[in-house]
Amino acid sequence: MYRLTHQGQLGAAIRQMRRDRGLTQRQLAEMAGVSTVWLSNAETGKRSVQIDLVFKVLACLGKSLSVDDKPEDILERIADSGGLAGPP
């Protein structure tokens, strides 16, 4: 079980999902409509990212994110949203 204690951990999860699907940063950035610089910075936790862009990236990976006000494990809350853009 993972606990997210800093912003870079969500980025690390996105990077792992991207790699698991065999996508390059460029491919995922194009699919999500973000720059490769933005995606790289998001994956490495170098910047605070706009949540709407995070949702776009996750949608391209076939995932969704649900967050409430409880300090729960976000990685467990990233659920398959099925059939969205991009490879399985």
Side-chain angles (χ1 to χ4, degrees):
M1 181 167 141
Y2 294 97
R3 284 263 172 224
L4 295 182
T5 58
H6 60 83
Q7 68 188 29
Q9 289 177 309
L10 179 57
I14 290 171
R15 179 178 55 242
Q16 188 60 51
M17 288 184 285
R18 174 181 60 76
R19 288 178 176 170
D20 289 348
R21 285 163 180 72
L23 295 170
T24 65
Q25 283 184 337
R26 177 172 292 196
Q27 290 169 321
L28 180 55
E30 288 176 1
M31 290 168 58
V34 300
S35 73
T36 54
V37 171
W38 183 93
L39 183 58
S40 175
N41 287 338
E43 286 186 356
T44 58
K46 290 183 180 175
R47 65 181 297 174
S48 295
V49 295
Q50 293 172 262
I51 195 67
D52 62 323
L53 297 180
V54 170
F55 284 120
K56 287 176 74 173
V57 168
L58 289 173
C60 289
L61 292 169
K63 302 289 182 176
S64 63
L65 175 63
S66 174
V67 180
D68 61 21
D69 60 350
K70 296 177 185 175
E72 294 181 22
D73 179 2
I74 287 182
L75 291 179
E76 289 183 354
R77 299 182 66 80
I78 297 176
D80 286 315
S81 57
L84 295 178

